[in-house]
């Protein structure tokens, strides 16, 4: 059973790993008074190369863990889980709201370049499900969308090699086939929560006129609007509490997660949980 509606409950956020902390950071900026509870399923990362049934099972177990703690809203801060498992998670969480990152990302892209050519950089599973293509075309039938699986970019972000020659060379290599197809994107959508860390390298590789779209800010605004509509905004004074959980590797989570969240973390800040 879901916890009863309660404005004092935290917002639950999960990702396959640390990448979703980019969304958590945007949530903290948009909703500083909210308590947040984050789960990174680091033991099973990456989700992006797995089958639909595994992704749905993993995402459902992560959701159950957060449900068990008592949350008022779930943010699926993982593009792969949002693309593949959102319907199942919405059913599991009923009547509480579930917000994924794909729909807000599509909204941001269409707003940035109406009628434009959009390139989605994502995981294999997100590309296979074409969730961004569908979401963008639902909003703008003049848009053109191409999706590109860039698995190595997840590893680059996890390793912290987000800037400099290696990151730029790998991004260039992924974009090469598009140049051959003469596809010049008006917008590039960071369709994986790890990719905002690679934004500076990407900006150096692509044309200045190309908008780089990140779903984190739009997702946080959708979450804020959902809480306001449901009269679930936390009205406590002072900053909200942050609770971090992972399924493996507290030290690694702290070391790499700190870069995503923009502050130093210690292994003792991370609670290890078994799903
Ligand atoms: N966080 C995942 C996403 O946004 C990328 C990492 C993974 O494949 O699990 O799609």
């Amino acid at each position: 059973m879901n916890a009863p509606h309660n404005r004092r409950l935290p917002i639950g956020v999960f990702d396959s790993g640390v990448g979703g902390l980019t969304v958590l950071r945007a949530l903290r900026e948009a909703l500083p008074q909210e308590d947040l509870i984050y789960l990174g399923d680091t033991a099973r990362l990456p989700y992006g190369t797995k089958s639909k049934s595994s992704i749905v099972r993993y995402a459902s177990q992560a959701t159950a863990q957060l449900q068990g703690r008592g949350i008022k809203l779930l943010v699926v801060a993982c593009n792969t889980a949002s693309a593949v498992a959102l319907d199942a998670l919405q059913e599991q969480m009923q009547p509480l709201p579930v917000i994924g990152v794909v729909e807000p990302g599509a909204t941001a892209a269409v707003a940035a370049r109406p009628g434009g050519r959009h390139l989605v950089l994502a995981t294999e599973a997100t590309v296979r499900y074409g969730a961004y293509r569908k979401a963008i075309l639902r909003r703008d039938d003049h848009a053109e969308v191409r999706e590109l699986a860039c698995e190595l970019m997840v590893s680059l972000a996890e390793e912290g090699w987000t800037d400099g020659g290696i990151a730029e060379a790998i991004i260039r290599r992924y974009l090469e086939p598009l140049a051959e197809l003469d596809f010049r994107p008006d917008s590039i959508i960071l369709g994986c929560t790890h990719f905002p860390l690679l934004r500076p390298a990407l900006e150096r590789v692509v044309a200045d006129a190309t908008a780089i779209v990140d779903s984190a800010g739009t997702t946080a605004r959708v979450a804020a609007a959902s809480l306001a509509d449901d009269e679930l905004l936390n009205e406590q004074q002072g900053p909200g509490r942050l609770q971090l959980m992972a399924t493996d590797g507290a030290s690694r989570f702290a070391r790499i997660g700190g870069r995503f969240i923009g502050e130093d973390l210690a292994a003792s800040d991370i609670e290890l949980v078994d799903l």
Side-chain angles (χ1 to χ4, degrees), residues 15-17 19-20 45-49 77-81 101 123 126 151 154 191-194:
D15 179 33
S16 53
L45 175 102
Y47 283 9
T49 51
C78 172
N79 285 269
T80 304
V101 284
T123 64
T126 302
E151 285 300 332
V154 176
C192 170
T193 47
H194 283 64

Side-chain angles (χ1 to χ4, degrees), residues 44-55 58 124-125 128:
R44 301 189 288 198
L45 175 102
Y47 283 9
T49 51
K50 306 287 188 324
S51 64
K52 176 174 182 171
S53 63
S54 293
I55 296 166
Y58 295 169
E124 277 174 27
R128 196 163 63 238

